[in-house]
Amino acid sequence: MSKKILAANFKTNHTRASTHEYVEALDSALQKMGYGSEVYIFPPATALDRFATQSDIRIGAQNAYPTVKGSFTGETGLEQLGEFGIETLLIGHSERRHILGETQEFIAQKYAWFKEQNFTIVYCIGEPLEVREAGDEAVRRYIVEQLEGIDTVYDRLILAYEPVWAIGTGKTATPDLIEATHTMIKNLSERPLLYGGSVKPANIAEILAVPGCDGALIGTASWEVESMLDMLSKVKGEK
Ligand code: 13P
């Protein structure tokens, strides 16, 4: 299998101590495996740190505010991320859009700001169930809106298609639906495109075999290091 990108979104799980244990275990296993593809880990903000890894594990932040520093209570700025050498950021996740109320306007502003800082940005898009049920054209329009204000040719952009109805529900999109949606998205941007939504050891090989799927963004099934390693071993990256 050609090089795939695997990313683990811890969401509001793991502590600082357990993140260290996880990254150490992952690092030594990846070295033994001779794993050569990109692996991203997005721990919660309290667990961000510099990790002494030998393999190519990249640590990213799940969220940050578009500022170097300042008065934005509860937020994390560039100075705080810089302390740990963090240069990767998740933007546009459906939980931030729908639970935390981030608007497309704010998301686009955040994207532009961190692009200026040359961050690698994993940018999430994906439709809720009612939009999917309204048909392909409704999905296309919804995704076009989620790309409004986003530089889709930015060379450090990685897109992640995560249908909201498949996140944390155990319901995975079928390979045919992933292929059709990825084909549509690839017409909007040629950057690498991950799939996310109930990816797990039992379905990852099938999902990554879908034409136009460049990797996976994994929530629940990434939280146990054994399960993450199981998935990584199934897509063993090329050196
Ligand atoms: P699950 O893998 O738990 O469905 O979560 C997907 C996700 O939201 C990753 O960002």
Side-chain angles (χ1 to χ4, degrees):
M1 198 177 287
S2 64
K3 281 198 177 201
K4 299 287 178 184
I5 301 167
L6 254 60
N9 179 4
F10 282 8
K11 307 190 179 185
T12 317
N13 298 280
H14 275 290
T15 61
R16 189 170 195 77
S18 71
T19 299
H20 267 272
E21 280 170 27
Y22 182 109
V23 173
E24 266 168 44
L26 192 65
D27 185 45
S28 64
L30 292 186
Q31 282 179 68
K32 277 194 210 113
M33 228 189 249
Y35 196 83
S37 287
E38 287 166 51
V39 180
Y40 293 88
I41 307 289
F42 293 90
T46 54
L48 293 178
D49 207 345
R50 285 187 190 273
F51 296 85
T53 51
Q54 303 299 315
S55 60
D56 192 11
I57 298 175
R58 303 166 197 199
I59 304 292
Q62 293 176 23
N63 180 41
Y65 199 79
T67 186
V68 174
K69 59 182 182 172
S71 298
F72 304 98
T73 301
E75 294 292 322
T76 305
L78 186 68
E79 187 172 283
Q80 290 77 41
L81 297 182
E83 181 179 16
F84 306 121
I86 306 285
E87 294 176 332
T88 303
L89 183 61
L90 205 58
I91 296 182
H93 193 278
S94 71
E95 286 149 18
R96 296 211 61 85
R97 291 178 189 269
H98 302 301
I99 303 175
L100 285 310
E102 287 191 7
T103 62
Q104 184 59 28
E105 192 185 0
F106 176 62
I107 288 169
Q109 187 193 331
K110 199 193 275 201
Y111 182 94
W113 199 89
F114 281 98
K115 183 193 137 191
E116 277 299 303
Q117 318 303 322
N118 289 318
F119 264 53
T120 295
I121 298 172
V122 178
Y123 185 74
C124 305
I125 51 182
E127 79 289 355
L129 187 59
E130 65 274 16
V131 175
R132 171 54 65 189
E133 285 173 344
D136 292 346
E137 181 50 24
V139 172
R140 197 191 65 81
R141 267 188 272 120
Y142 193 88
I143 285 175
V144 166
E145 276 171 25
Q146 292 185 316
L147 290 171
E148 206 171 295
I150 303 301
D151 177 0
T152 54
V153 297
Y154 176 45
D155 62 358
R156 291 191 183 164
L157 163 64
I158 298 170
L159 287 163
Y161 169 58
E162 299 204 301
V164 180
W165 46 272
I167 295 177
T169 57
K171 268 192 214 164
T172 320
T174 61
D176 282 353
L177 187 141
I178 298 172
E179 184 174 353
T181 314
H182 276 220
T183 303
M184 180 272 285
I185 296 168
K186 293 247 174 205
N187 283 325
L188 303 170
S189 172
E190 291 178 356
R191 298 299 304 147
L193 177 57
L194 316 182
Y195 169 79
S198 299
V199 176
K200 50 186 182 243
N203 62 20
I204 191 160
E206 181 185 37
I207 288 170
L208 295 185
V210 169
C213 182
D214 304 307
L217 176 56
I218 310 153
T220 315
S222 73
W223 302 339
E224 296 286 339
V225 73
E226 292 76 19
S227 165
M228 185 67 179
L229 282 168
D230 193 1
M231 290 185 281
L232 285 158
S233 70
K234 291 195 163 75
V235 296
K236 193 167 176 294
E238 290 172 351
K239 267 282 184 199

